[in-house]
Amino acid sequence: MSLALYRRYRPETFAEVIGQEHVTDPLQQAIRNGRVNHAYLFSGPRGCGKTTSARILARALNCERGPTPTPCGTCRSCQELARGGSGGLDVIEIDAASHGGVDDARDLRERAAFAPAGSRYKIYIVDEAHMVTPQGFNALLKVVEEPPEHLKFIFATTEPEKVIPTIRSRTHHYPFRLVPPTVLREYLATLCEREKVPVESAVLPLVVRAGAGSVRDSLSVLDQLMGGAGPDGLTLARAITLLGYTDATLLDDVIDAFAAHDGAAVFSLIDRVIEGGHDPRRFVADLLDRLRDLVILAAVPEAAGTGLIDAPSDAVERMVAQATRFGQAELSRAADLVNTGLTEMRGATAPRLQLELICARVLLPGAGDGDRDLHARLDRIERRLAGDAAVPAAPAPR
Ligand SMILES: [Zn+2]
């Protein structure tokens, strides 16, 4: 079986880590300036490069031609710490999720006193550091407070606030963040190229969405799609079915029906959603995402060019037209209704009914909350006056 993409393309240098320049640049500069701290805290969401960067930092510190921000890659230490290398004796990775106890920390403290076996530093990478118990941290405190010259700590965690303050204050804290969609999409595109797998342009935004800003999750989705790809590579049709997304044309049709206040069309589309075997919750979540994009396009027409909207250009054109037809106030009102509906759908026993009720509320203009409904009504009246025959008269307010 082939090695997972995430492992095969795991970065070996800071330059290869994507979307974290705000962290990797100052970190490299600190190494260049010879201002290396003895303890680091890498925080941030899962799967965006904390542990990988910790390994790269270890490699940078222990390179025989270092410490250097650009490890040579050829010395013994660099080779041991390379992707697929043996790891070396002096870089010790601890997963605190399985070693949370105080005994391990005591043991670690005793072993940490010994000089490194063959490298400049002995480096402990403590993954999932928030799982270390308070007792564990207290046992570690002494070595983190007054570490021997040869000792470095890198703590990686999704929850930095759970690392006790006395430890945290001894570290240099580098917050990692989710990778922006455009950066992630370009990265995935280069991987497809390197893997020589053709990919339809609309597929990658879906992968990015499924991965929700995590490089690891996005790569595992891409892996799965590549695994099931035929000779045409990654096709949109297959990606939609595999990832369970709602077909964009279905969303287009529903939005058009809402904009035209065509109840018959809306409810027959719901029927199509259910008959097509789609999960109603998924559909509502996707509808909300679409409304979000439209709200933004209505407020910021050039949003697609600035990366606020992540969609292929033909889709953006369609959405701009939809946003105009809908009107800003109505869009925002519809998004609110769908958002509330989605929350209420959690745990609902009759999701189809819920979906129908949400749509009924969106179709009903001005169901009674103040100014915004009035704006929505005005939007519609203006569009009627402008000669848009598709807009029926709003029912009179009660
Ligand atoms: Zn080296």
Side-chain angles (χ1 to χ4, degrees):
M1 209 196 99
S2 71
L3 205 53
L5 280 179
Y6 184 68
R7 290 185 190 285
R8 252 185 307 142
Y9 288 96
R10 184 164 211 149
E12 293 185 301
T13 63
F14 287 118
E16 288 170 14
V17 178
I18 59 157
Q20 309 296 345
E21 291 77 10
H22 64 289
V23 163
T24 52
D25 286 352
L27 201 49
Q28 292 181 80
Q29 192 57 43
I31 300 173
R32 220 172 276 129
N33 295 343
R35 304 180 71 97
V36 176
N37 199 36
H38 63 274
Y40 291 88
L41 177 60
F42 290 176
S43 69
R46 56 189 294 273
C48 49
K50 299 184 298 293
T51 314
T52 297
S53 298
R55 289 182 188 163
I56 297 172
L57 177 58
R59 205 166 179 241
L61 294 177
N62 271 352
C63 173
E64 282 165 21
R65 280 166 228 175
T68 165
T70 46
C72 75
T74 53
C75 72
R76 188 190 47 81
S77 168
C78 279
Q79 285 186 347
E80 282 177 351
L81 299 176
R83 199 161 43 213
S86 64
L89 290 171
D90 294 319
V91 176
I92 304 112
E93 288 194 32
I94 298 170
D95 181 357
S98 50
H99 293 80
V102 64
D103 291 341
D104 288 293
R106 282 216 186 99
D107 179 45
L108 185 155
R109 194 174 62 182
E110 277 155 26
R111 278 184 295 147
F114 295 105
S119 319
R120 188 173 298 109
Y121 297 114
K122 194 170 206 169
I123 301 170
Y124 284 92
I125 298 176
V126 184
D127 219 343
E128 313 281 358
H130 58 278
M131 300 290 281
V132 177
T133 58
Q135 297 94 312
F137 274 129
N138 283 322
L140 276 180
L141 195 54
K142 186 81 182 152
V143 271
V144 178
E145 266 179 330
E146 291 167 36
E149 275 295 301
H150 64 259
L151 198 57
K152 301 282 176 204
F153 281 98
I154 309 169
F155 298 99
T157 178
T158 47
E159 298 172 67
E161 66 283 355
K162 285 195 184 153
V163 174
I164 59 167
T166 33
I167 295 266
R168 209 167 56 208
S169 65
R170 298 292 191 296
T171 62
H172 283 181
H173 185 180
Y174 288 90
F176 287 64
R177 55 191 185 206
L178 290 175
V179 178
T182 38
V183 176
L184 199 46
R185 185 158 41 98
E186 276 163 30
Y187 178 64
L188 297 179
T190 59
L191 288 194
C192 290
E193 221 165 275
R194 281 203 249 168
E195 293 286 308
K196 302 196 170 48
V197 177
V199 54
E200 284 178 16
S201 69
V203 171
L204 294 181
L206 292 188
V207 176
V208 167
R209 236 173 91 191
S214 155
V215 182
R216 186 175 25 193
D217 292 353
S218 306
L219 288 192
S220 100
V221 171
L222 190 64
D223 238 344
Q224 191 192 346
L225 291 181
M226 281 180 174
D232 328 339
L234 309 184
T235 61
L236 181 60
R238 201 175 275 230
I240 284 173
T241 19
L242 205 60
L243 298 178
Y245 280 124
T246 310
D247 194 330
T249 52
L250 205 52
L251 287 175
D252 281 336
D253 291 351
V254 166
I255 294 286
D256 288 343
F258 276 138
H261 285 262
D262 184 346
V266 169
F267 289 107
S268 84
L269 279 161
I270 294 177
D271 203 50
R272 248 171 74 197
V273 169
I274 305 294
E275 291 300 315
H278 296 283
D279 173 11
R281 283 182 200 86
R282 186 67 202 229
F283 175 76
V284 174
D286 289 343
L287 178 61
L288 182 60
D289 272 339
R290 167 64 68 90
L291 285 167
R292 173 262 176 203
D293 284 351
L294 295 182
V295 165
I296 293 189
L297 278 173
V300 190
E302 67 280 9
T306 59
L308 283 171
I309 304 282
D310 191 35
S313 59
D314 52 329
V316 169
E317 251 169 62
R318 252 193 328 272
M319 289 196 285
V320 169
Q322 287 172 347
T324 321
R325 257 200 321 276
F326 231 110
Q328 211 168 345
E330 268 201 77
L331 271 174
S332 145
R333 182 179 150 273
D336 275 355
L337 288 169
V338 173
N339 188 30
T340 313
L342 183 61
T343 319
E344 286 169 358
M345 268 179 117
R346 296 217 175 92
T349 47
R352 176 184 181 145
L353 178 66
Q354 295 280 338
L355 170 56
E356 284 168 335
L357 293 178
I358 293 169
C359 291
R361 271 178 236 136
V362 174
L363 281 167
L364 199 71
D369 72 302
D371 278 1
R372 220 167 26 161
D373 288 322
L374 189 62
H375 280 294
R377 293 174 61 82
L378 285 174
D379 270 354
R380 284 149 47 77
I381 292 167
E382 277 172 14
R383 276 180 292 138
R384 274 180 68 77
L385 290 175
D388 187 347
V391 184
R398 285 159 297 171

